[in-house]
Short mmCIF file of all heavy atoms in Angstrom, two decimals:
data_model
loop_
_atom_site.label_atom_id
_atom_site.label_comp_id
_atom_site.label_asym_id
_atom_site.label_seq_id
_atom_site.Cartn_x
_atom_site.Cartn_y
_atom_site.Cartn_z
N LYS A 310 14.47 21.11 -4.79
CA LYS A 310 14.41 21.87 -6.04
C LYS A 310 15.33 21.29 -7.12
O LYS A 310 16.03 22.02 -7.84
CB LYS A 310 14.75 23.35 -5.80
CG LYS A 310 13.96 24.00 -4.67
CD LYS A 310 13.39 25.35 -5.10
CE LYS A 310 12.58 26.02 -4.01
NZ LYS A 310 11.51 25.16 -3.45
N ALA A 311 15.31 19.98 -7.24
CA ALA A 311 16.14 19.31 -8.24
C ALA A 311 15.54 19.45 -9.63
O ALA A 311 14.33 19.57 -9.79
CB ALA A 311 16.25 17.83 -7.88
N ASP A 312 16.42 19.47 -10.62
CA ASP A 312 15.99 19.50 -12.02
C ASP A 312 16.14 18.12 -12.64
O ASP A 312 15.51 17.81 -13.65
CB ASP A 312 16.81 20.50 -12.81
CG ASP A 312 16.67 21.90 -12.23
OD1 ASP A 312 15.58 22.45 -12.34
OD2 ASP A 312 17.65 22.38 -11.63
N ALA A 313 17.04 17.33 -12.05
CA ALA A 313 17.27 15.98 -12.56
C ALA A 313 17.62 15.05 -11.40
O ALA A 313 18.10 15.48 -10.36
CB ALA A 313 18.39 15.97 -13.58
N VAL A 314 17.36 13.76 -11.61
CA VAL A 314 17.66 12.74 -10.60
C VAL A 314 18.51 11.66 -11.24
O VAL A 314 18.25 11.26 -12.37
CB VAL A 314 16.34 12.13 -10.05
CG1 VAL A 314 16.62 10.87 -9.27
CG2 VAL A 314 15.60 13.14 -9.18
N ILE A 315 19.55 11.21 -10.50
CA ILE A 315 20.32 10.06 -10.96
C ILE A 315 20.15 8.97 -9.92
O ILE A 315 20.37 9.18 -8.73
CB ILE A 315 21.82 10.39 -11.14
CG1 ILE A 315 22.01 11.57 -12.10
CG2 ILE A 315 22.58 9.16 -11.66
CD1 ILE A 315 23.45 12.00 -12.26
N THR A 316 19.75 7.78 -10.38
CA THR A 316 19.53 6.67 -9.46
C THR A 316 19.72 5.36 -10.22
O THR A 316 20.09 5.36 -11.40
CB THR A 316 18.12 6.76 -8.82
OG1 THR A 316 18.00 5.78 -7.80
CG2 THR A 316 17.02 6.59 -9.85
N GLY A 317 19.48 4.24 -9.52
CA GLY A 317 19.60 2.94 -10.19
C GLY A 317 18.27 2.54 -10.79
O GLY A 317 18.11 2.43 -12.00
N ASN A 318 17.28 2.36 -9.91
CA ASN A 318 15.95 2.00 -10.35
C ASN A 318 14.91 2.82 -9.61
O ASN A 318 15.18 3.34 -8.54
CB ASN A 318 15.68 0.51 -10.09
CG ASN A 318 16.54 -0.36 -10.95
OD1 ASN A 318 16.50 -0.28 -12.17
ND2 ASN A 318 17.34 -1.20 -10.31
N MET A 319 13.72 2.89 -10.19
CA MET A 319 12.66 3.68 -9.57
C MET A 319 11.32 2.98 -9.76
O MET A 319 11.07 2.36 -10.79
CB MET A 319 12.63 5.06 -10.23
CG MET A 319 11.76 6.06 -9.49
SD MET A 319 11.76 7.65 -10.30
CE MET A 319 13.40 8.25 -9.93
N GLY A 320 10.47 3.09 -8.75
CA GLY A 320 9.15 2.47 -8.83
C GLY A 320 8.15 3.34 -9.57
O GLY A 320 8.44 4.47 -9.93
N PRO A 321 6.93 2.81 -9.78
CA PRO A 321 5.94 3.51 -10.60
C PRO A 321 5.43 4.83 -10.02
O PRO A 321 5.26 5.80 -10.76
CB PRO A 321 4.80 2.50 -10.72
CG PRO A 321 5.01 1.51 -9.63
CD PRO A 321 6.47 1.48 -9.35
N ASN A 322 5.19 4.87 -8.69
CA ASN A 322 4.62 6.09 -8.10
C ASN A 322 5.61 7.25 -8.12
O ASN A 322 5.26 8.37 -8.47
CB ASN A 322 4.18 5.83 -6.65
CG ASN A 322 2.91 5.00 -6.57
OD1 ASN A 322 2.15 4.93 -7.54
ND2 ASN A 322 2.70 4.36 -5.45
N ALA A 323 6.86 6.95 -7.74
CA ALA A 323 7.89 8.00 -7.71
C ALA A 323 8.10 8.55 -9.11
O ALA A 323 8.22 9.77 -9.31
CB ALA A 323 9.20 7.43 -7.17
N MET A 324 8.12 7.66 -10.11
CA MET A 324 8.35 8.09 -11.48
C MET A 324 7.21 9.00 -11.97
O MET A 324 7.46 10.05 -12.57
CB MET A 324 8.49 6.87 -12.39
CG MET A 324 8.96 7.24 -13.79
SD MET A 324 9.53 5.82 -14.70
CE MET A 324 11.15 5.59 -14.03
N GLU A 325 5.99 8.62 -11.64
CA GLU A 325 4.83 9.42 -12.04
C GLU A 325 4.93 10.82 -11.43
O GLU A 325 4.70 11.83 -12.11
CB GLU A 325 3.56 8.71 -11.54
CG GLU A 325 2.28 9.34 -12.08
CD GLU A 325 1.04 8.71 -11.49
OE1 GLU A 325 1.09 7.55 -11.05
OE2 GLU A 325 0.00 9.39 -11.45
N LEU A 326 5.31 10.87 -10.15
CA LEU A 326 5.39 12.14 -9.44
C LEU A 326 6.50 13.04 -9.99
O LEU A 326 6.29 14.23 -10.22
CB LEU A 326 5.62 11.87 -7.94
CG LEU A 326 5.62 13.04 -6.98
CD1 LEU A 326 4.41 13.93 -7.17
CD2 LEU A 326 5.66 12.53 -5.54
N LEU A 327 7.67 12.46 -10.24
CA LEU A 327 8.79 13.25 -10.76
C LEU A 327 8.50 13.75 -12.18
O LEU A 327 8.78 14.90 -12.52
CB LEU A 327 10.08 12.43 -10.75
CG LEU A 327 10.67 12.13 -9.37
CD1 LEU A 327 12.02 11.44 -9.52
CD2 LEU A 327 10.84 13.39 -8.53
N GLN A 328 7.91 12.87 -12.98
CA GLN A 328 7.60 13.26 -14.35
C GLN A 328 6.56 14.38 -14.38
O GLN A 328 6.63 15.29 -15.20
CB GLN A 328 7.11 12.05 -15.16
CG GLN A 328 8.28 11.16 -15.58
CD GLN A 328 7.84 9.83 -16.17
OE1 GLN A 328 6.68 9.44 -16.07
NE2 GLN A 328 8.77 9.12 -16.80
N ALA A 329 5.62 14.33 -13.42
CA ALA A 329 4.60 15.39 -13.34
C ALA A 329 5.23 16.73 -12.98
O ALA A 329 4.68 17.78 -13.26
CB ALA A 329 3.55 15.01 -12.30
N ASN A 330 6.40 16.66 -12.34
CA ASN A 330 7.10 17.88 -11.95
C ASN A 330 8.15 18.28 -12.99
O ASN A 330 8.93 19.20 -12.75
CB ASN A 330 7.79 17.68 -10.61
CG ASN A 330 6.95 18.24 -9.49
OD1 ASN A 330 6.80 19.43 -9.38
ND2 ASN A 330 6.38 17.36 -8.69
N GLY A 331 8.23 17.54 -14.07
CA GLY A 331 9.20 17.85 -15.12
C GLY A 331 10.64 17.59 -14.71
O GLY A 331 11.56 18.21 -15.24
N ILE A 332 10.83 16.68 -13.76
CA ILE A 332 12.20 16.34 -13.34
C ILE A 332 12.69 15.15 -14.17
O ILE A 332 12.02 14.13 -14.28
CB ILE A 332 12.25 16.01 -11.84
CG1 ILE A 332 11.87 17.24 -11.02
CG2 ILE A 332 13.63 15.50 -11.43
CD1 ILE A 332 11.70 17.00 -9.55
N LYS A 333 13.87 15.31 -14.77
CA LYS A 333 14.43 14.26 -15.62
C LYS A 333 15.04 13.16 -14.74
O LYS A 333 15.60 13.45 -13.68
CB LYS A 333 15.53 14.83 -16.52
CG LYS A 333 14.99 15.83 -17.53
CD LYS A 333 14.85 15.19 -18.88
CE LYS A 333 14.43 16.20 -19.93
NZ LYS A 333 13.92 15.52 -21.12
N ILE A 334 14.94 11.93 -15.19
CA ILE A 334 15.46 10.81 -14.42
C ILE A 334 16.52 10.07 -15.24
O ILE A 334 16.28 9.68 -16.38
CB ILE A 334 14.32 9.83 -14.04
CG1 ILE A 334 13.17 10.59 -13.37
CG2 ILE A 334 14.83 8.73 -13.13
CD1 ILE A 334 11.82 9.96 -13.59
N TYR A 335 17.72 9.91 -14.64
CA TYR A 335 18.79 9.21 -15.32
C TYR A 335 19.23 8.00 -14.51
O TYR A 335 19.13 7.98 -13.29
CB TYR A 335 19.98 10.15 -15.54
CG TYR A 335 19.66 11.28 -16.47
CD1 TYR A 335 19.16 12.48 -15.98
CD2 TYR A 335 19.81 11.13 -17.85
CE1 TYR A 335 18.83 13.51 -16.84
CE2 TYR A 335 19.49 12.16 -18.71
CZ TYR A 335 18.99 13.35 -18.20
OH TYR A 335 18.66 14.37 -19.06
N GLN A 336 19.75 7.00 -15.23
CA GLN A 336 20.15 5.77 -14.58
C GLN A 336 21.66 5.63 -14.52
O GLN A 336 22.37 6.03 -15.44
CB GLN A 336 19.58 4.57 -15.35
CG GLN A 336 19.71 3.26 -14.60
CD GLN A 336 18.85 2.17 -15.23
OE1 GLN A 336 18.68 2.13 -16.42
NE2 GLN A 336 18.32 1.29 -14.40
N THR A 337 22.13 5.07 -13.42
CA THR A 337 23.56 4.78 -13.30
C THR A 337 23.71 3.48 -12.53
O THR A 337 22.77 3.02 -11.89
CB THR A 337 24.30 5.93 -12.58
OG1 THR A 337 25.70 5.70 -12.70
CG2 THR A 337 23.93 6.01 -11.11
N THR A 338 24.89 2.88 -12.58
CA THR A 338 25.11 1.63 -11.84
C THR A 338 26.43 1.68 -11.09
O THR A 338 27.45 2.06 -11.66
CB THR A 338 25.13 0.40 -12.78
OG1 THR A 338 25.93 0.72 -13.91
CG2 THR A 338 23.74 0.02 -13.23
N GLY A 339 26.38 1.31 -9.83
CA GLY A 339 27.56 1.09 -8.98
C GLY A 339 28.68 2.09 -9.12
O GLY A 339 29.80 1.75 -9.49
N ASN A 340 28.39 3.37 -8.84
CA ASN A 340 29.39 4.41 -8.95
C ASN A 340 29.44 5.21 -7.67
O ASN A 340 28.58 5.09 -6.82
CB ASN A 340 29.00 5.38 -10.08
CG ASN A 340 29.70 5.05 -11.37
OD1 ASN A 340 30.81 4.52 -11.34
ND2 ASN A 340 29.07 5.35 -12.48
N THR A 341 30.44 6.09 -7.57
CA THR A 341 30.38 7.07 -6.51
C THR A 341 29.50 8.22 -7.03
O THR A 341 29.25 8.33 -8.23
CB THR A 341 31.76 7.64 -6.17
OG1 THR A 341 32.29 8.25 -7.34
CG2 THR A 341 32.70 6.55 -5.67
N VAL A 342 29.07 9.05 -6.11
CA VAL A 342 28.23 10.19 -6.47
C VAL A 342 28.96 11.08 -7.48
O VAL A 342 28.39 11.50 -8.49
CB VAL A 342 27.85 10.98 -5.20
CG1 VAL A 342 27.24 12.32 -5.55
CG2 VAL A 342 26.90 10.17 -4.33
N GLU A 343 30.24 11.32 -7.20
CA GLU A 343 31.06 12.16 -8.07
C GLU A 343 31.14 11.59 -9.50
O GLU A 343 30.98 12.32 -10.48
CB GLU A 343 32.47 12.25 -7.48
CG GLU A 343 33.17 13.55 -7.73
CD GLU A 343 34.47 13.63 -6.95
OE1 GLU A 343 34.89 12.62 -6.36
OE2 GLU A 343 35.05 14.73 -6.94
N ALA A 344 31.35 10.28 -9.58
CA ALA A 344 31.46 9.63 -10.89
C ALA A 344 30.14 9.70 -11.65
O ALA A 344 30.12 9.87 -12.87
CB ALA A 344 31.89 8.17 -10.71
N ALA A 345 29.03 9.58 -10.90
CA ALA A 345 27.71 9.67 -11.53
C ALA A 345 27.49 11.06 -12.12
O ALA A 345 26.92 11.20 -13.20
CB ALA A 345 26.62 9.33 -10.52
N VAL A 346 27.97 12.08 -11.41
CA VAL A 346 27.84 13.45 -11.90
C VAL A 346 28.69 13.63 -13.16
O VAL A 346 28.24 14.23 -14.16
CB VAL A 346 28.27 14.47 -10.82
CG1 VAL A 346 28.39 15.86 -11.40
CG2 VAL A 346 27.28 14.46 -9.67
N GLN A 347 29.92 13.09 -13.15
CA GLN A 347 30.80 13.16 -14.32
C GLN A 347 30.14 12.50 -15.53
O GLN A 347 30.16 13.04 -16.64
CB GLN A 347 32.15 12.48 -14.03
CG GLN A 347 33.06 13.29 -13.11
CD GLN A 347 33.24 14.74 -13.57
OE1 GLN A 347 33.37 15.00 -14.76
NE2 GLN A 347 33.20 15.68 -12.63
N GLU A 348 29.58 11.32 -15.27
CA GLU A 348 28.90 10.56 -16.32
C GLU A 348 27.76 11.40 -16.92
O GLU A 348 27.58 11.46 -18.13
CB GLU A 348 28.33 9.28 -15.69
CG GLU A 348 27.79 8.27 -16.67
CD GLU A 348 27.25 7.04 -15.94
OE1 GLU A 348 26.15 7.13 -15.33
OE2 GLU A 348 27.91 6.00 -15.99
N PHE A 349 27.04 12.08 -16.05
CA PHE A 349 25.92 12.91 -16.48
C PHE A 349 26.41 14.10 -17.31
O PHE A 349 25.86 14.41 -18.37
CB PHE A 349 25.15 13.42 -15.24
CG PHE A 349 24.06 14.39 -15.57
CD1 PHE A 349 22.82 13.94 -16.01
CD2 PHE A 349 24.27 15.76 -15.46
CE1 PHE A 349 21.81 14.83 -16.32
CE2 PHE A 349 23.26 16.65 -15.77
CZ PHE A 349 22.04 16.19 -16.20
N LYS A 350 27.49 14.73 -16.82
CA LYS A 350 28.03 15.92 -17.50
C LYS A 350 28.56 15.58 -18.90
O LYS A 350 28.44 16.37 -19.82
CB LYS A 350 29.18 16.49 -16.68
CG LYS A 350 28.74 17.43 -15.57
CD LYS A 350 30.00 17.98 -14.99
CE LYS A 350 29.86 19.01 -13.96
NZ LYS A 350 31.16 19.16 -13.27
N SER A 351 29.16 14.40 -19.03
CA SER A 351 29.72 14.02 -20.32
C SER A 351 28.63 13.49 -21.25
O SER A 351 28.93 12.87 -22.27
CB SER A 351 30.80 12.97 -20.12
OG SER A 351 30.23 11.84 -19.52
N ALA A 352 27.37 13.72 -20.84
CA ALA A 352 26.21 13.36 -21.67
C ALA A 352 26.13 11.87 -21.95
O ALA A 352 25.58 11.45 -22.95
CB ALA A 352 26.20 14.15 -22.97
N ARG A 353 26.73 11.08 -21.05
CA ARG A 353 26.64 9.63 -21.22
C ARG A 353 25.51 9.05 -20.37
O ARG A 353 25.31 7.85 -20.32
CB ARG A 353 27.98 8.97 -20.87
CG ARG A 353 28.96 8.99 -22.03
CD ARG A 353 30.23 8.23 -21.69
NE ARG A 353 31.09 9.01 -20.80
CZ ARG A 353 31.63 8.54 -19.69
NH1 ARG A 353 31.39 7.31 -19.31
NH2 ARG A 353 32.40 9.29 -18.94
N GLY A 354 24.80 9.93 -19.67
CA GLY A 354 23.71 9.47 -18.81
C GLY A 354 22.59 8.84 -19.61
O GLY A 354 22.21 9.34 -20.66
N VAL A 355 22.08 7.73 -19.10
CA VAL A 355 20.97 7.05 -19.77
C VAL A 355 19.68 7.47 -19.09
O VAL A 355 19.54 7.36 -17.88
CB VAL A 355 21.13 5.51 -19.66
CG1 VAL A 355 20.02 4.81 -20.42
CG2 VAL A 355 22.49 5.09 -20.16
N GLU A 356 18.73 7.93 -19.89
CA GLU A 356 17.47 8.36 -19.30
C GLU A 356 16.62 7.15 -18.94
O GLU A 356 16.54 6.18 -19.68
CB GLU A 356 16.72 9.28 -20.24
CG GLU A 356 16.01 10.38 -19.47
CD GLU A 356 15.49 11.48 -20.35
OE1 GLU A 356 16.23 11.98 -21.24
OE2 GLU A 356 14.33 11.85 -20.14
N LEU A 357 16.02 7.22 -17.75
CA LEU A 357 15.22 6.11 -17.24
C LEU A 357 13.75 6.44 -17.52
O LEU A 357 13.25 7.48 -17.14
CB LEU A 357 15.44 5.99 -15.73
CG LEU A 357 14.95 4.75 -15.00
CD1 LEU A 357 15.64 3.51 -15.49
CD2 LEU A 357 15.19 4.91 -13.50
N SER A 358 13.07 5.53 -18.23
CA SER A 358 11.68 5.84 -18.57
C SER A 358 10.70 4.77 -18.13
O SER A 358 9.50 4.96 -18.16
CB SER A 358 11.56 6.05 -20.08
OG SER A 358 12.05 4.91 -20.73
#
Side-chain angles (χ1 to χ4, degrees):
Chain A
K310 309 228 179 307
D312 301 291
V314 166
I315 304 176
T316 188
N318 292 302
M319 192 180 288
N322 287 339
M324 190 165 281
E325 189 185 335
L326 185 50
L327 290 186
Q328 283 170 347
N330 263 290
I332 296 172
K333 295 258 185 197
I334 308 151
Y335 295 90
Q336 192 166 34
T337 190
T338 45
N340 263 331
T341 60
V342 168
E343 212 172 9
V346 169
Q347 286 309 320
E348 190 180 74
F349 175 81
K350 276 186 175 165
S351 61
R353 276 184 284 131
V355 183
E356 217 168 314
L357 192 63
S358 56

